[in-house]
PDB file of all heavy atoms in Angstrom:
ATOM      1  N   LEU N1221     -40.420  -7.297 -37.048  1.00 92.00           N
ATOM      2  CA  LEU N1221     -39.900  -8.316 -37.948  1.00 92.00           C
ATOM      3  C   LEU N1221     -40.087  -7.772 -39.392  1.00 92.00           C
ATOM      4  O   LEU N1221     -41.154  -7.196 -39.673  1.00 92.00           O
ATOM      5  CB  LEU N1221     -40.612  -9.626 -37.698  1.00 92.00           C
ATOM      6  CG  LEU N1221     -40.577 -10.312 -36.328  1.00 92.00           C
ATOM      7  CD1 LEU N1221     -41.566 -11.384 -36.161  1.00 92.00           C
ATOM      8  CD2 LEU N1221     -39.141 -10.821 -36.126  1.00 92.00           C
ATOM      9  N   ALA N1226     -35.112 -12.941 -38.379  1.00 93.00           N
ATOM     10  CA  ALA N1226     -35.584 -13.761 -37.242  1.00 93.00           C
ATOM     11  C   ALA N1226     -34.786 -13.497 -36.013  1.00 93.00           C
ATOM     12  O   ALA N1226     -33.716 -12.776 -36.082  1.00 93.00           O
ATOM     13  CB  ALA N1226     -35.423 -15.307 -37.578  1.00 93.00           C
ATOM     14  N   ALA N1227     -35.224 -13.968 -34.841  1.00 95.00           N
ATOM     15  CA  ALA N1227     -34.522 -13.806 -33.615  1.00 95.00           C
ATOM     16  C   ALA N1227     -34.601 -15.087 -32.753  1.00 95.00           C
ATOM     17  O   ALA N1227     -35.696 -15.618 -32.698  1.00 95.00           O
ATOM     18  CB  ALA N1227     -35.051 -12.567 -32.783  1.00 95.00           C
ATOM     19  N   THR N1253     -48.768 -10.591 -33.377  1.00 70.00           N
ATOM     20  CA  THR N1253     -47.997 -11.848 -33.803  1.00 70.00           C
ATOM     21  C   THR N1253     -48.672 -12.497 -35.051  1.00 70.00           C
ATOM     22  O   THR N1253     -48.188 -13.454 -35.603  1.00 70.00           O
ATOM     23  CB  THR N1253     -48.067 -12.877 -32.704  1.00 70.00           C
ATOM     24  OG1 THR N1253     -49.457 -13.135 -32.309  1.00 70.00           O
ATOM     25  CG2 THR N1253     -47.282 -12.395 -31.492  1.00 70.00           C
ATOM     26  N   ALA N1254     -49.760 -11.864 -35.518  1.00 66.00           N
ATOM     27  CA  ALA N1254     -50.350 -12.399 -36.784  1.00 66.00           C
ATOM     28  C   ALA N1254     -49.324 -12.290 -37.919  1.00 66.00           C
ATOM     29  O   ALA N1254     -48.696 -11.319 -38.164  1.00 66.00           O
ATOM     30  CB  ALA N1254     -51.560 -11.581 -37.109  1.00 66.00           C
ATOM     31  N   GLY N1255     -49.226 -13.457 -38.654  1.00 65.00           N
ATOM     32  CA  GLY N1255     -48.262 -13.500 -39.730  1.00 65.00           C
ATOM     33  C   GLY N1255     -46.916 -13.837 -39.253  1.00 65.00           C
ATOM     34  O   GLY N1255     -45.968 -14.069 -40.113  1.00 65.00           O
ATOM     35  N   SER N1256     -46.601 -14.031 -38.004  1.00 75.00           N
ATOM     36  CA  SER N1256     -45.305 -14.432 -37.431  1.00 75.00           C
ATOM     37  C   SER N1256     -45.424 -15.852 -36.994  1.00 75.00           C
ATOM     38  O   SER N1256     -46.444 -16.473 -36.719  1.00 75.00           O
ATOM     39  CB  SER N1256     -44.913 -13.464 -36.394  1.00 75.00           C
ATOM     40  OG  SER N1256     -45.745 -13.646 -35.234  1.00 75.00           O
ATOM     41  N   ALA N1257     -44.206 -16.441 -36.754  1.00 84.00           N
ATOM     42  CA  ALA N1257     -44.073 -17.717 -36.182  1.00 84.00           C
ATOM     43  C   ALA N1257     -43.332 -17.634 -34.896  1.00 84.00           C
ATOM     44  O   ALA N1257     -42.205 -17.307 -34.852  1.00 84.00           O
ATOM     45  CB  ALA N1257     -43.423 -18.675 -37.179  1.00 84.00           C
ATOM     46  N   THR N1258     -44.015 -17.968 -33.763  1.00 92.00           N
ATOM     47  CA  THR N1258     -43.432 -17.956 -32.482  1.00 92.00           C
ATOM     48  C   THR N1258     -43.346 -19.374 -31.998  1.00 92.00           C
ATOM     49  O   THR N1258     -44.389 -20.097 -31.991  1.00 92.00           O
ATOM     50  CB  THR N1258     -44.187 -17.092 -31.439  1.00 92.00           C
ATOM     51  OG1 THR N1258     -44.350 -15.753 -31.946  1.00 92.00           O
ATOM     52  CG2 THR N1258     -43.565 -17.147 -30.092  1.00 92.00           C
ATOM     53  N   ARG N1259     -42.144 -19.856 -31.728  1.00 95.00           N
ATOM     54  CA  ARG N1259     -41.957 -21.222 -31.320  1.00 95.00           C
ATOM     55  C   ARG N1259     -40.995 -21.383 -30.124  1.00 95.00           C
ATOM     56  O   ARG N1259     -40.126 -20.592 -29.972  1.00 95.00           O
ATOM     57  CB  ARG N1259     -41.365 -21.986 -32.534  1.00 95.00           C
ATOM     58  CG  ARG N1259     -42.289 -21.989 -33.808  1.00 95.00           C
ATOM     59  CD  ARG N1259     -41.570 -22.444 -34.961  1.00 95.00           C
ATOM     60  NE  ARG N1259     -40.502 -21.551 -35.459  1.00 95.00           N
ATOM     61  CZ  ARG N1259     -39.823 -21.724 -36.566  1.00 95.00           C
ATOM     62  NH1 ARG N1259     -40.125 -22.684 -37.373  1.00 95.00           N
ATOM     63  NH2 ARG N1259     -38.892 -20.834 -36.901  1.00 95.00           N
ATOM     64  N   ASP N1275     -44.492 -24.966 -32.118  1.00 94.00           N
ATOM     65  CA  ASP N1275     -45.249 -23.832 -32.454  1.00 94.00           C
ATOM     66  C   ASP N1275     -46.165 -23.379 -31.323  1.00 94.00           C
ATOM     67  O   ASP N1275     -46.953 -24.210 -30.804  1.00 94.00           O
ATOM     68  CB  ASP N1275     -46.063 -24.100 -33.739  1.00 94.00           C
ATOM     69  CG  ASP N1275     -45.191 -24.178 -34.970  1.00 94.00           C
ATOM     70  OD1 ASP N1275     -44.328 -23.299 -35.143  1.00 94.00           O
ATOM     71  OD2 ASP N1275     -45.354 -25.161 -35.717  1.00 94.00           O
ATOM     72  N   LEU N1276     -46.143 -22.102 -31.079  1.00 93.00           N
ATOM     73  CA  LEU N1276     -47.149 -21.467 -30.093  1.00 93.00           C
ATOM     74  C   LEU N1276     -48.320 -20.983 -30.878  1.00 93.00           C
ATOM     75  O   LEU N1276     -48.157 -20.097 -31.780  1.00 93.00           O
ATOM     76  CB  LEU N1276     -46.508 -20.339 -29.368  1.00 93.00           C
ATOM     77  CG  LEU N1276     -45.433 -20.588 -28.218  1.00 93.00           C
ATOM     78  CD1 LEU N1276     -45.035 -19.314 -27.524  1.00 93.00           C
ATOM     79  CD2 LEU N1276     -46.057 -21.621 -27.201  1.00 93.00           C
ATOM     80  N   VAL N1278     -51.495 -18.778 -32.068  1.00 86.00           N
ATOM     81  CA  VAL N1278     -51.814 -17.406 -31.895  1.00 86.00           C
ATOM     82  C   VAL N1278     -52.851 -17.250 -30.896  1.00 86.00           C
ATOM     83  O   VAL N1278     -53.899 -18.030 -30.883  1.00 86.00           O
ATOM     84  CB  VAL N1278     -52.242 -16.755 -33.259  1.00 86.00           C
ATOM     85  CG1 VAL N1278     -52.761 -15.339 -33.089  1.00 86.00           C
ATOM     86  CG2 VAL N1278     -51.151 -16.810 -34.255  1.00 86.00           C
ATOM     87  N   VAL N1304     -36.742 -19.356 -27.104  1.00 97.00           N
ATOM     88  CA  VAL N1304     -37.849 -18.910 -27.963  1.00 97.00           C
ATOM     89  C   VAL N1304     -37.268 -18.487 -29.275  1.00 97.00           C
ATOM     90  O   VAL N1304     -36.222 -17.772 -29.400  1.00 97.00           O
ATOM     91  CB  VAL N1304     -38.643 -17.724 -27.382  1.00 97.00           C
ATOM     92  CG1 VAL N1304     -39.836 -17.314 -28.242  1.00 97.00           C
ATOM     93  CG2 VAL N1304     -39.281 -18.122 -26.029  1.00 97.00           C
ATOM     94  N   ASP N1305     -38.002 -18.878 -30.411  1.00 96.00           N
ATOM     95  CA  ASP N1305     -37.558 -18.568 -31.707  1.00 96.00           C
ATOM     96  C   ASP N1305     -38.676 -17.781 -32.379  1.00 96.00           C
ATOM     97  O   ASP N1305     -39.825 -18.204 -32.319  1.00 96.00           O
ATOM     98  CB  ASP N1305     -37.229 -19.844 -32.513  1.00 96.00           C
ATOM     99  CG  ASP N1305     -36.561 -19.527 -33.873  1.00 96.00           C
ATOM    100  OD1 ASP N1305     -35.339 -19.423 -33.894  1.00 96.00           O
ATOM    101  OD2 ASP N1305     -37.286 -19.410 -34.905  1.00 96.00           O
ATOM    102  N   VAL N1306     -38.338 -16.611 -33.000  1.00 94.00           N
ATOM    103  CA  VAL N1306     -39.354 -15.758 -33.606  1.00 94.00           C
ATOM    104  C   VAL N1306     -38.960 -15.455 -35.051  1.00 94.00           C
ATOM    105  O   VAL N1306     -37.817 -15.043 -35.309  1.00 94.00           O
ATOM    106  CB  VAL N1306     -39.497 -14.463 -32.812  1.00 94.00           C
ATOM    107  CG1 VAL N1306     -40.484 -13.508 -33.448  1.00 94.00           C
ATOM    108  CG2 VAL N1306     -39.848 -14.711 -31.393  1.00 94.00           C
ATOM    109  N   SER N1307     -39.895 -15.660 -35.969  1.00 92.00           N
ATOM    110  CA  SER N1307     -39.672 -15.288 -37.380  1.00 92.00           C
ATOM    111  C   SER N1307     -40.952 -14.888 -38.003  1.00 92.00           C
ATOM    112  O   SER N1307     -42.010 -14.998 -37.369  1.00 92.00           O
ATOM    113  CB  SER N1307     -39.000 -16.425 -38.123  1.00 92.00           C
ATOM    114  OG  SER N1307     -39.920 -17.588 -38.169  1.00 92.00           O
ATOM    115  N   SER N1308     -40.887 -14.493 -39.255  1.00 87.00           N
ATOM    116  CA  SER N1308     -42.112 -13.989 -39.935  1.00 87.00           C
ATOM    117  C   SER N1308     -41.950 -14.072 -41.416  1.00 87.00           C
ATOM    118  O   SER N1308     -40.852 -13.841 -41.958  1.00 87.00           O
ATOM    119  CB  SER N1308     -42.517 -12.571 -39.515  1.00 87.00           C
ATOM    120  OG  SER N1308     -43.598 -12.091 -40.143  1.00 87.00           O
ATOM    121  N   ASN N1309     -42.986 -14.346 -42.122  1.00 83.00           N
ATOM    122  CA  ASN N1309     -43.035 -14.239 -43.612  1.00 83.00           C
ATOM    123  C   ASN N1309     -43.410 -12.902 -44.131  1.00 83.00           C
ATOM    124  O   ASN N1309     -43.237 -12.584 -45.257  1.00 83.00           O
ATOM    125  CB  ASN N1309     -43.981 -15.357 -44.181  1.00 83.00           C
ATOM    126  CG  ASN N1309     -43.460 -16.748 -43.824  1.00 83.00           C
ATOM    127  OD1 ASN N1309     -42.277 -16.987 -43.861  1.00 83.00           O
ATOM    128  ND2 ASN N1309     -44.374 -17.664 -43.546  1.00 83.00           N
ATOM    129  N   VAL N1312     -43.893  -7.329 -39.527  1.00 89.00           N
ATOM    130  CA  VAL N1312     -44.618  -7.198 -38.294  1.00 89.00           C
ATOM    131  C   VAL N1312     -43.986  -6.083 -37.542  1.00 89.00           C
ATOM    132  O   VAL N1312     -42.849  -6.169 -37.064  1.00 89.00           O
ATOM    133  CB  VAL N1312     -44.661  -8.512 -37.486  1.00 89.00           C
ATOM    134  CG1 VAL N1312     -45.414  -8.256 -36.134  1.00 89.00           C
ATOM    135  CG2 VAL N1312     -45.305  -9.612 -38.256  1.00 89.00           C
ATOM    136  N   TYR N1315     -44.362  -6.382 -32.791  1.00 92.00           N
ATOM    137  CA  TYR N1315     -44.409  -7.757 -32.175  1.00 92.00           C
ATOM    138  C   TYR N1315     -44.292  -7.659 -30.653  1.00 92.00           C
ATOM    139  O   TYR N1315     -43.445  -6.925 -30.198  1.00 92.00           O
ATOM    140  CB  TYR N1315     -43.358  -8.638 -32.813  1.00 92.00           C
ATOM    141  CG  TYR N1315     -43.253 -10.036 -32.178  1.00 92.00           C
ATOM    142  CD1 TYR N1315     -44.075 -11.079 -32.704  1.00 92.00           C
ATOM    143  CD2 TYR N1315     -42.462 -10.278 -31.149  1.00 92.00           C
ATOM    144  CE1 TYR N1315     -43.994 -12.318 -32.165  1.00 92.00           C
ATOM    145  CE2 TYR N1315     -42.393 -11.512 -30.530  1.00 92.00           C
ATOM    146  CZ  TYR N1315     -43.111 -12.539 -31.071  1.00 92.00           C
ATOM    147  OH  TYR N1315     -43.062 -13.785 -30.532  1.00 92.00           O
TER     148      TYR N1315
END
Side-chain angles (χ1 to χ4, degrees):
L1221 300 164
T1253 57
S1256 66
T1258 302
R1259 298 168 293 187
D1275 289 314
L1276 287 183
V1278 174
V1304 177
D1305 190 88
V1306 180
S1307 62
S1308 176
N1309 294 323
V1312 178
Y1315 176 90

